[in-house]
Coordinates of all heavy atoms in Angstrom, one line a residue:
M9 N -18.6 90.1 51.7 CA -17.3 90.8 51.7 C -16.2 89.8 51.5 O -16.3 88.6 51.9 CB -17.1 91.5 53.0 CG -17.8 92.8 53.1 SD -17.2 93.7 54.5 CE -18.6 94.7 54.8
Y10 N -15.1 90.3 50.9 CA -14.0 89.4 50.8 C -13.1 89.6 52.0 O -12.4 90.7 52.2 CB -13.2 89.8 49.5 CG -13.9 89.5 48.2 CD1 -14.2 90.6 47.3 CD2 -14.2 88.2 47.9 CE1 -14.8 90.3 46.1 CE2 -14.9 87.9 46.7 CZ -15.2 89.0 45.8 OH -15.8 88.7 44.6
A11 N -13.1 88.6 52.9 CA -12.4 88.8 54.2 C -10.9 89.0 54.0 O -10.3 89.9 54.8 CB -12.6 87.5 55.0
S12 N -10.3 88.4 53.0 CA -8.8 88.6 52.9 C -8.5 90.0 52.4 O -7.5 90.6 52.8 CB -8.2 87.6 51.9 OG -8.8 87.8 50.6
R13 N -9.4 90.6 51.6 CA -9.1 92.0 51.1 C -9.4 93.0 52.3 O -8.6 94.0 52.4 CB -10.0 92.3 49.9 CG -9.6 91.5 48.7 CD -10.5 91.7 47.5 NE -10.0 90.9 46.4 CZ -10.6 90.8 45.2 NH1 -11.7 91.6 45.0 NH2 -10.2 90.0 44.3
I14 N -10.4 92.8 53.0 CA -10.7 93.6 54.2 C -9.5 93.5 55.2 O -9.1 94.5 55.7 CB -12.1 93.2 54.8 CG1 -13.2 93.4 53.9 CG2 -12.2 93.9 56.2 CD1 -13.6 94.9 53.6
E15 N -9.0 92.4 55.3 CA -7.9 92.2 56.3 C -6.7 93.0 55.8 O -6.0 93.5 56.7 CB -7.5 90.7 56.4 CG -6.5 90.4 57.5 CD -7.0 90.7 58.8 OE1 -8.2 90.6 59.2 OE2 -6.2 91.2 59.7
K16 N -6.4 93.0 54.5 CA -5.4 93.8 54.0 C -5.6 95.3 54.3 O -4.6 96.0 54.7 CB -5.2 93.7 52.5 CG -4.6 92.4 52.1 CD -4.5 92.3 50.6 CE -4.1 90.9 50.1 NZ -4.0 90.8 48.6
V17 N -6.8 95.8 54.2 CA -7.1 97.2 54.5 C -6.9 97.4 56.0 O -6.3 98.4 56.4 CB -8.6 97.5 54.1 CG1 -9.0 98.9 54.7 CG2 -8.7 97.5 52.6
L18 N -7.3 96.5 56.8 CA -7.2 96.6 58.3 C -5.7 96.6 58.7 O -5.3 97.4 59.5 CB -7.9 95.4 59.0 CG -9.4 95.5 59.0 CD1 -10.0 94.2 59.5 CD2 -9.9 96.7 59.7
K19 N -4.9 95.9 58.0 CA -3.4 96.0 58.3 C -2.8 97.3 57.9 O -2.0 97.9 58.6 CB -2.7 94.8 57.5 CG -2.9 93.5 58.2 CD -2.2 92.3 57.5 CE -2.5 91.0 58.1 NZ -2.0 89.9 57.4
K20 N -3.3 97.8 56.8 CA -2.8 99.2 56.4 C -3.3 100.2 57.4 O -2.5 101.2 57.7 CB -3.3 99.5 55.0 CG -2.5 98.8 53.9 CD -1.2 99.4 53.7 CE -0.5 98.8 52.4 NZ 0.9 99.3 52.2
M21 N -4.5 100.1 57.8 CA -5.1 101.0 58.8 C -4.2 101.0 60.1 O -3.9 102.0 60.6 CB -6.5 100.7 59.1 CG -7.5 101.0 58.0 SD -9.2 100.3 58.3 CE -9.6 101.0 59.8
E22 N -3.8 99.8 60.5 CA -3.0 99.7 61.7 C -1.6 100.3 61.5 O -1.1 101.0 62.4 CB -2.8 98.2 62.0 CG -2.1 97.9 63.3 CD -2.0 96.4 63.6 OE1 -2.8 95.7 63.1 OE2 -1.1 96.1 64.4
L23 N -1.1 100.1 60.3 CA 0.2 100.8 60.0 C 0.2 102.3 60.1 O 1.1 102.9 60.6 CB 0.6 100.3 58.5 CG 2.0 100.9 58.0 CD1 3.1 100.3 58.8 CD2 2.1 100.6 56.5
Y24 N -0.9 102.9 59.7 CA -1.1 104.4 59.7 C -1.8 104.8 61.0 O -2.1 106.0 61.0 CB -1.8 104.8 58.5 CG -0.9 104.7 57.2 CD1 -1.1 103.7 56.3 CD2 0.2 105.6 57.0 CE1 -0.2 103.5 55.2 CE2 1.0 105.5 55.8 CZ 0.8 104.4 55.0 OH 1.6 104.3 53.9
D25 N -2.1 103.9 61.9 CA -2.8 104.2 63.1 C -4.2 104.9 62.9 O -4.5 105.8 63.6 CB -1.9 105.2 64.0 CG -2.3 105.2 65.4 OD1 -2.8 104.2 65.9 OD2 -2.1 106.2 66.1
F26 N -4.9 104.3 62.0 CA -6.2 104.6 61.7 C -7.2 103.6 62.5 O -6.9 102.4 62.3 CB -6.6 104.6 60.2 CG -6.0 105.6 59.4 CD1 -6.1 105.5 58.0 CD2 -5.4 106.7 59.9 CE1 -5.5 106.5 57.2 CE2 -4.8 107.7 59.1 CZ -4.9 107.5 57.7
S27 N -8.2 104.1 63.1 CA -9.1 103.1 63.8 C -10.4 102.9 62.9 O -11.1 101.9 63.2 CB -9.5 103.7 65.2 OG -10.2 104.9 65.0
Q28 N -10.6 103.7 62.0 CA -11.8 103.7 61.1 C -11.5 104.3 59.8 O -10.7 105.2 59.7 CB -13.0 104.2 61.8 CG -12.9 105.6 62.2 CD -13.9 106.1 63.2 OE1 -15.0 105.5 63.2 NE2 -13.7 107.2 63.8
I29 N -12.2 103.9 58.8 CA -12.1 104.5 57.5 C -13.4 104.4 56.8 O -14.2 103.5 56.9 CB -11.0 103.7 56.6 CG1 -10.6 104.4 55.3 CG2 -11.4 102.3 56.4 CD1 -9.4 103.9 54.7
L30 N -13.7 105.4 56.0 CA -14.9 105.5 55.2 C -14.5 105.5 53.7 O -13.8 106.4 53.2 CB -15.7 106.8 55.5 CG -17.1 106.9 54.9 CD1 -18.0 105.8 55.5 CD2 -17.6 108.3 55.2
I31 N -15.1 104.5 52.9 CA -14.7 104.4 51.5 C -16.0 104.7 50.7 O -17.1 104.1 50.9 CB -14.3 102.9 51.3 CG1 -13.0 102.6 52.1 CG2 -14.0 102.8 49.8 CD1 -12.7 101.1 52.1
S32 N -15.8 105.6 49.8 CA -17.1 106.0 49.0 C -16.9 105.8 47.5 O -17.8 106.1 46.7 CB -17.4 107.5 49.3 OG -16.4 108.3 48.9
D33 N -15.8 105.3 47.1 CA -15.6 105.0 45.7 C -16.2 103.7 45.3 O -15.9 102.7 45.9 CB -14.1 104.9 45.4 CG -13.8 104.5 43.9 OD1 -14.4 105.1 43.0 OD2 -13.0 103.6 43.7
P34 N -17.2 103.7 44.4 CA -18.0 102.4 44.1 C -17.0 101.3 43.6 O -17.3 100.1 43.9 CB -18.9 102.9 43.0 CG -19.1 104.3 43.1 CD -17.8 104.9 43.7
I35 N -16.0 101.6 42.9 CA -15.1 100.5 42.4 C -14.3 99.9 43.6 O -14.1 98.7 43.6 CB -14.1 101.1 41.3 CG1 -14.9 101.7 40.1 CG2 -13.1 100.0 40.9 CD1 -15.8 100.6 39.4
S36 N -13.9 100.8 44.5 CA -13.2 100.2 45.7 C -14.1 99.4 46.6 O -13.7 98.4 47.1 CB -12.7 101.4 46.5 OG -11.7 102.1 45.8
I37 N -15.4 99.9 46.7 CA -16.4 99.0 47.4 C -16.6 97.7 46.7 O -16.7 96.7 47.4 CB -17.7 99.8 47.6 CG1 -17.4 101.1 48.4 CG2 -18.8 99.0 48.2 CD1 -18.6 102.0 48.5
Y38 N -16.7 97.7 45.4 CA -16.8 96.5 44.6 C -15.7 95.6 44.9 O -15.8 94.4 45.1 CB -17.0 96.8 43.2 CG -17.0 95.6 42.3 CD1 -18.1 94.8 42.3 CD2 -15.9 95.3 41.5 CE1 -18.1 93.6 41.5 CE2 -15.9 94.1 40.7 CZ -17.0 93.3 40.7 OH -17.0 92.1 39.9
Y39 N -14.5 96.1 44.9 CA -13.2 95.3 45.1 C -13.3 94.6 46.5 O -12.9 93.5 46.6 CB -12.0 96.2 45.0 CG -10.7 95.5 45.4 CD1 -10.1 94.6 44.5 CD2 -10.1 95.6 46.6 CE1 -8.9 93.9 44.8 CE2 -9.0 95.0 46.9 CZ -8.4 94.1 46.1 OH -7.2 93.5 46.3
L40 N -13.8 95.3 47.5 CA -13.8 94.8 48.8 C -15.0 93.9 49.1 O -14.9 93.0 50.0 CB -13.8 96.0 49.8 CG -12.5 96.8 49.9 CD1 -12.8 98.0 50.7 CD2 -11.3 96.0 50.4
T41 N -16.1 94.1 48.4 CA -17.3 93.3 48.7 C -17.8 92.4 47.6 O -18.5 91.4 47.9 CB -18.4 94.3 49.0 OG1 -18.8 95.0 47.8 CG2 -18.1 95.2 50.2
G42 N -17.4 92.7 46.3 CA -17.9 91.9 45.2 C -19.3 92.3 44.9 O -19.9 91.7 44.0
K43 N -19.8 93.4 45.4 CA -21.2 93.9 45.1 C -21.1 95.2 44.5 O -20.4 96.1 44.9 CB -22.0 94.0 46.4 CG -22.0 92.8 47.3 CD -22.6 91.6 46.7 CE -22.6 90.4 47.7 NZ -22.8 89.2 47.0
M44 N -21.8 95.4 43.4 CA -21.8 96.6 42.6 C -23.1 97.3 42.7 O -24.2 96.7 42.6 CB -21.5 96.3 41.2 CG -21.3 97.6 40.3 SD -20.0 98.6 41.1 CE -19.3 99.3 39.7
L45 N -23.0 98.6 42.9 CA -24.2 99.5 42.9 C -23.7 100.8 42.2 O -22.6 101.2 42.4 CB -24.6 99.8 44.4 CG -25.8 100.7 44.5 CD1 -27.1 99.9 44.1 CD2 -25.9 101.0 46.0
E46 N -24.5 101.3 41.3 CA -24.2 102.5 40.6 C -25.0 103.7 41.2 O -26.1 103.9 40.8 CB -24.5 102.4 39.2 CG -23.6 101.3 38.5 CD -23.8 101.1 37.0 OE1 -24.2 102.0 36.4 OE2 -23.5 100.0 36.6
P47 N -24.4 104.4 42.2 CA -25.2 105.4 42.9 C -25.3 106.7 42.2 O -25.9 107.7 42.7 CB -24.4 105.5 44.2 CG -23.0 105.2 43.8 CD -23.1 104.2 42.8
D48 N -24.6 106.9 41.1 CA -24.5 108.2 40.4 C -24.0 109.2 41.3 O -23.0 109.1 41.9 CB -25.9 108.6 39.8 CG -26.3 107.6 38.7 OD1 -25.4 107.2 37.9 OD2 -27.5 107.3 38.6
E49 N -24.7 110.3 41.6 CA -24.2 111.4 42.5 C -24.6 111.1 43.9 O -24.2 111.9 44.8 CB -24.7 112.8 42.0 CG -26.2 113.0 42.3 CD -27.1 112.4 41.3 OE1 -26.8 111.9 40.3 OE2 -28.3 112.7 41.5
R50 N -25.3 110.1 44.2 CA -25.7 109.8 45.6 C -24.6 109.1 46.4 O -23.8 108.4 45.8 CB -27.0 109.1 45.6 CG -28.2 109.9 45.1 CD -29.4 109.1 45.0 NE -30.5 110.0 44.7 CZ -30.8 110.6 43.5 NH1 -30.0 110.3 42.5 NH2 -31.8 111.3 43.2
L51 N -24.7 109.3 47.7 CA -23.7 108.7 48.5 C -23.9 107.2 48.7 O -25.1 106.7 48.9 CB -23.7 109.3 49.9 CG -22.8 108.6 50.9 CD1 -21.3 108.9 50.6 CD2 -23.1 109.1 52.4
W52 N -22.9 106.4 48.6 CA -22.9 105.0 48.9 C -21.5 104.8 49.5 O -20.5 105.1 48.8 CB -23.0 104.2 47.6 CG -23.0 102.7 47.8 CD1 -23.6 102.0 48.9 CD2 -22.3 101.7 47.0 NE1 -23.4 100.7 48.7 CE2 -22.6 100.5 47.6 CE3 -21.6 101.8 45.9 CZ2 -22.1 99.3 47.1 CZ3 -21.1 100.6 45.4 CH2 -21.3 99.4 45.9
A53 N -21.4 104.4 50.7 CA -20.1 104.3 51.4 C -20.1 103.0 52.2 O -21.1 102.5 52.7 CB -20.0 105.5 52.3
L54 N -18.8 102.6 52.4 CA -18.5 101.4 53.2 C -17.6 101.9 54.4 O -16.6 102.5 54.2 CB -17.8 100.4 52.4 CG -17.4 99.1 53.1 CD1 -18.7 98.4 53.5 CD2 -16.6 98.2 52.2
Y55 N -18.1 101.6 55.6 CA -17.4 102.1 56.8 C -16.7 100.8 57.3 O -17.3 99.8 57.5 CB -18.4 102.6 57.9 CG -17.8 102.8 59.2 CD1 -17.1 103.9 59.5 CD2 -18.0 101.8 60.2 CE1 -16.6 104.1 60.8 CE2 -17.6 102.0 61.5 CZ -16.8 103.1 61.8 OH -16.4 103.3 63.0
I56 N -15.4 100.9 57.6 CA -14.6 99.8 58.1 C -14.0 100.3 59.4 O -13.4 101.3 59.5 CB -13.5 99.4 57.1 CG1 -14.2 98.8 55.8 CG2 -12.6 98.3 57.7 CD1 -13.2 98.4 54.8
D57 N -14.1 99.4 60.4 CA -13.7 99.7 61.8 C -12.7 98.7 62.2 O -12.9 97.5 61.9 CB -15.0 99.7 62.6 CG -14.7 100.1 64.1 OD1 -13.8 99.4 64.7 OD2 -15.3 101.0 64.6
C58 N -11.7 99.1 62.9 CA -10.7 98.1 63.3 C -11.2 97.1 64.2 O -10.6 96.0 64.4 CB -9.4 98.8 63.9 SG -9.8 99.7 65.5
N59 N -12.4 97.3 64.9 CA -13.0 96.3 65.8 C -14.0 95.4 65.0 O -14.6 94.6 65.6 CB -13.8 97.1 66.8 CG -12.9 97.9 67.7 OD1 -11.7 97.4 68.0 ND2 -13.3 99.1 68.1
G60 N -14.0 95.6 63.7 CA -14.9 94.6 62.9 C -16.3 95.1 62.8 O -17.2 94.3 62.3
S61 N -16.6 96.3 63.1 CA -18.0 96.9 63.0 C -18.2 97.5 61.7 O -18.3 98.8 61.6 CB -18.3 97.9 64.1 OG -18.2 97.3 65.4
H62 N -18.2 96.7 60.6 CA -18.3 97.3 59.2 C -19.7 97.6 58.9 O -20.6 96.8 59.3 CB -17.7 96.3 58.2 CG -16.3 95.7 58.6 ND1 -15.3 96.6 59.2 CD2 -15.8 94.5 58.6 CE1 -14.3 95.8 59.4 NE2 -14.6 94.6 59.1
R63 N -19.9 98.6 58.2 CA -21.3 99.1 57.8 C -21.3 99.6 56.5 O -20.3 100.2 56.0 CB -21.9 100.1 58.8 CG -22.0 99.6 60.2 CD -22.5 100.7 61.2 NE -22.8 100.2 62.4 CZ -21.9 100.1 63.5 NH1 -20.7 100.4 63.3 NH2 -22.3 99.7 64.6
A64 N -22.5 99.5 55.8 CA -22.7 100.2 54.5 C -23.7 101.3 54.7 O -24.8 101.1 55.3 CB -23.2 99.1 53.5
F65 N -23.4 102.5 54.1 CA -24.3 103.6 54.1 C -24.9 103.6 52.7 O -24.2 103.8 51.7 CB -23.6 104.9 54.4 CG -23.1 105.0 55.8 CD1 -21.9 104.5 56.2 CD2 -23.9 105.6 56.7 CE1 -21.5 104.6 57.5 CE2 -23.5 105.7 58.1 CZ -22.3 105.2 58.4
V66 N -26.3 103.4 52.6 CA -26.9 103.3 51.3 C -28.2 104.2 51.3 O -28.9 104.2 52.3 CB -27.4 101.8 51.1 CG1 -28.0 101.7 49.7 CG2 -26.2 100.9 51.3
N67 N -28.3 105.0 50.2 CA -29.5 105.7 50.0 C -30.7 104.8 49.9 O -30.6 103.8 49.3 CB -29.4 106.6 48.8 CG -30.6 107.6 48.7 OD1 -31.8 107.2 48.7 ND2 -30.2 108.9 48.6
E68 N -31.8 105.0 50.6 CA -33.0 104.1 50.7 C -33.6 103.9 49.3 O -34.4 103.0 49.2 CB -34.0 104.5 51.7 CG -34.7 105.7 51.5 CD -35.8 106.0 52.5 OE1 -35.6 105.5 53.6 OE2 -36.6 106.9 52.3
M69 N -33.3 104.7 48.3 CA -33.9 104.5 47.1 C -33.2 103.3 46.3 O -33.7 102.9 45.3 CB -33.8 105.8 46.2 CG -32.4 106.1 45.7 SD -32.4 107.6 44.8 CE -33.1 107.2 43.2
F70 N -32.1 102.8 46.8 CA -31.4 101.7 46.2 C -31.7 100.4 46.9 O -31.8 100.4 48.2 CB -29.9 101.9 46.2 CG -29.4 103.1 45.4 CD1 -28.8 104.2 46.0 CD2 -29.7 103.1 44.0 CE1 -28.4 105.3 45.2 CE2 -29.3 104.2 43.3 CZ -28.6 105.3 43.9
F71 N -31.7 99.4 46.2 CA -31.7 98.0 46.7 C -30.3 97.7 47.1 O -29.4 97.8 46.3 CB -32.2 97.0 45.8 CG -32.0 95.6 46.2 CD1 -32.8 95.0 47.2 CD2 -31.0 94.8 45.7 CE1 -32.7 93.8 47.7 CE2 -30.8 93.5 46.1 CZ -31.7 93.0 47.1
C72 N -30.0 97.2 48.4 CA -28.7 96.9 48.8 C -28.5 95.4 48.8 O -29.2 94.8 49.6 CB -28.4 97.6 50.2 SG -26.7 97.2 50.7
P73 N -27.7 94.8 48.0 CA -27.5 93.4 48.0 C -26.8 93.0 49.3 O -26.2 93.7 50.0 CB -26.6 93.1 46.8 CG -26.0 94.4 46.4 CD -26.9 95.5 47.0
R74 N -27.0 91.7 49.6 CA -26.4 91.1 50.8 C -24.9 91.2 50.7 O -24.3 91.3 49.7 CB -26.8 89.7 51.0 CG -28.3 89.5 51.2 CD -28.6 88.1 51.4 NE -30.0 87.9 51.5 CZ -30.6 87.3 52.5 NH1 -29.9 86.7 53.4 NH2 -31.9 87.2 52.5
G75 N -24.2 91.1 51.9 CA -22.7 91.0 51.9 C -22.0 92.3 52.2 O -20.9 92.5 51.9
F76 N -22.8 93.2 52.9 CA -22.2 94.5 53.2 C -22.0 94.6 54.7 O -22.4 95.6 55.4 CB -23.1 95.6 52.8 CG -22.9 95.9 51.3 CD1 -23.9 95.6 50.4 CD2 -21.8 96.5 50.8 CE1 -23.7 95.8 49.1 CE2 -21.6 96.7 49.5 CZ -22.6 96.4 48.6
G77 N -21.4 93.7 55.3 CA -21.0 93.8 56.7 C -22.1 93.5 57.7 O -23.1 92.9 57.4
N78 N -21.9 94.0 58.9 CA -22.8 93.7 60.0 C -24.1 94.5 59.9 O -25.1 94.0 60.4 CB -22.1 94.0 61.3 CG -20.9 93.3 61.6 OD1 -20.7 92.2 61.0 ND2 -20.0 93.8 62.3
E79 N -24.1 95.6 59.3 CA -25.3 96.5 59.3 C -25.3 97.4 58.1 O -24.3 97.8 57.6 CB -25.2 97.3 60.6 CG -26.5 98.2 60.8 CD -26.3 99.0 62.1 OE1 -25.5 98.7 62.9 OE2 -27.1 100.0 62.2
K80 N -26.5 97.6 57.6 CA -26.7 98.6 56.6 C -27.5 99.7 57.2 O -28.5 99.6 57.9 CB -27.6 98.0 55.4 CG -26.9 96.8 54.7 CD -27.8 96.2 53.7 CE -27.5 94.8 53.5 NZ -28.3 93.8 54.1
I81 N -27.0 100.9 56.9 CA -27.6 102.1 57.4 C -28.2 102.8 56.2 O -27.5 103.3 55.3 CB -26.6 103.1 58.1 CG1 -26.1 102.3 59.3 CG2 -27.3 104.3 58.5 CD1 -24.9 103.0 60.0
F82 N -29.6 102.8 56.1 CA -30.3 103.5 55.0 C -30.6 104.9 55.4 O -30.9 105.2 56.5 CB -31.6 102.7 54.7 CG -31.3 101.4 54.1 CD1 -31.3 100.3 54.9 CD2 -31.1 101.3 52.7 CE1 -31.0 99.0 54.3 CE2 -30.9 100.0 52.1 CZ -30.9 98.9 52.9
F83 N -30.6 105.8 54.4 CA -30.9 107.2 54.7 C -31.6 107.8 53.5 O -31.6 107.2 52.4 CB -29.5 108.0 55.0 CG -28.6 108.0 53.8 CD1 -28.7 109.0 52.9 CD2 -27.6 107.1 53.7 CE1 -27.8 109.0 51.8 CE2 -26.8 107.0 52.6 CZ -26.8 108.0 51.6
Q84 N -32.1 108.9 53.6 CA -32.7 109.6 52.6 C -32.4 111.1 52.6 O -32.0 111.6 53.7 CB -34.2 109.5 52.5 CG -34.9 110.1 53.7 CD -36.5 109.8 53.6 OE1 -37.0 109.5 52.6 NE2 -37.1 110.1 54.8
R85 N -32.5 111.8 51.5 CA -32.2 113.2 51.5 C -33.3 113.9 52.3 O -34.5 113.7 52.1 CB -32.2 113.7 50.1 CG -31.7 115.2 50.0 CD -31.8 115.6 48.6 NE -32.5 116.9 48.8 CZ -33.2 117.6 47.9 NH1 -33.3 117.1 46.8 NH2 -33.7 118.7 48.2
L86 N -32.9 114.8 53.2 CA -33.9 115.6 53.9 C -34.4 116.8 53.1 O -33.6 117.5 52.4 CB -33.3 116.1 55.2 CG -32.9 115.0 56.2 CD1 -32.2 115.6 57.4 CD2 -34.1 114.1 56.6
R87 N -35.6 117.1 53.1 CA -36.2 118.2 52.4 C -36.0 119.4 53.3 O -36.3 119.4 54.5 CB -37.6 117.9 52.0 CG -37.8 116.8 51.1 CD -39.2 116.6 50.7 NE -39.4 115.4 50.1 CZ -39.3 115.0 48.8 NH1 -39.0 116.0 48.0 NH2 -39.6 113.9 48.4
R88 N -35.7 120.6 52.7 CA -35.6 121.8 53.5 C -37.0 122.4 53.8 O -37.9 122.3 52.9 CB -34.8 122.9 52.7 CG -33.4 122.5 52.5 CD -32.7 123.7 51.9 NE -31.7 123.2 51.1 CZ -31.0 124.0 50.3 NH1 -31.1 125.3 50.2 NH2 -30.0 123.5 49.6
S89 N -37.2 122.9 54.9 CA -38.4 123.6 55.3 C -38.3 125.0 54.7 O -37.3 125.6 54.7 CB -38.6 123.7 56.8 OG -38.6 122.4 57.3
R90 N -39.5 125.5 54.3 CA -39.5 126.9 53.7 C -40.3 127.8 54.6 O -41.1 127.5 55.3 CB -40.1 126.9 52.3 CG -39.2 126.2 51.4 CD -39.8 126.4 50.0 NE -38.9 125.6 49.1 CZ -38.8 125.8 47.9 NH1 -39.4 126.8 47.3 NH2 -38.0 125.1 47.1

């Protein structure tokens, strides 16, 4: 992650009294992390917390490169029971 860019986001969050934010735009995530993933219609999100608990939410079908904060949370689509 680019610490200086994350710091700018944290300052804006403080200005608007946000304690957390979820970013799901791939270009914005690339800007903040320098890592690109093309998720198509699947969710790929970056969670930024004012306490520094940043996490990436990544569909388990994707390889997640290093540099996405403290923790990566992998998920998969749940199938409906019939």
Side-chain angles (χ1 to χ4, degrees):
M9 283 195 200
Y10 294 119
S12 62
R13 294 178 181 178
I14 296 292
E15 190 60 37
K16 287 180 186 178
V17 171
L18 290 170
K19 287 180 182 176
K20 285 285 187 182
M21 288 170 56
E22 185 179 337
L23 179 68
Y24 290 102
D25 199 29
F26 292 167
S27 61
Q28 55 193 344
I29 188 170
L30 188 64
I31 301 166
S32 62
D33 176 49
I35 300 301
S36 297
I37 296 171
Y38 174 73
Y39 174 79
L40 294 169
T41 65
K43 310 296 181 198
M44 185 56 147
L45 183 68
E46 296 181 26
D48 296 322
E49 74 278 357
R50 289 174 175 77
L51 176 68
W52 179 43
L54 182 64
Y55 169 81
I56 297 177
D57 183 303
C58 66
N59 298 320
S61 299
H62 312 316
R63 294 177 172 87
F65 291 87
V66 185
N67 191 300
E68 70 179 14
M69 71 182 288
F70 295 116
F71 169 75
C72 184
R74 295 177 185 238
F76 282 108
N78 301 335
E79 185 178 343
K80 293 177 210 104
I81 299 171
F82 290 94
F83 63 91
Q84 64 180 345
R85 187 187 132 202
L86 299 175
R87 299 180 195 272
R88 290 188 216 175
S89 300
R90 291 185 185 206

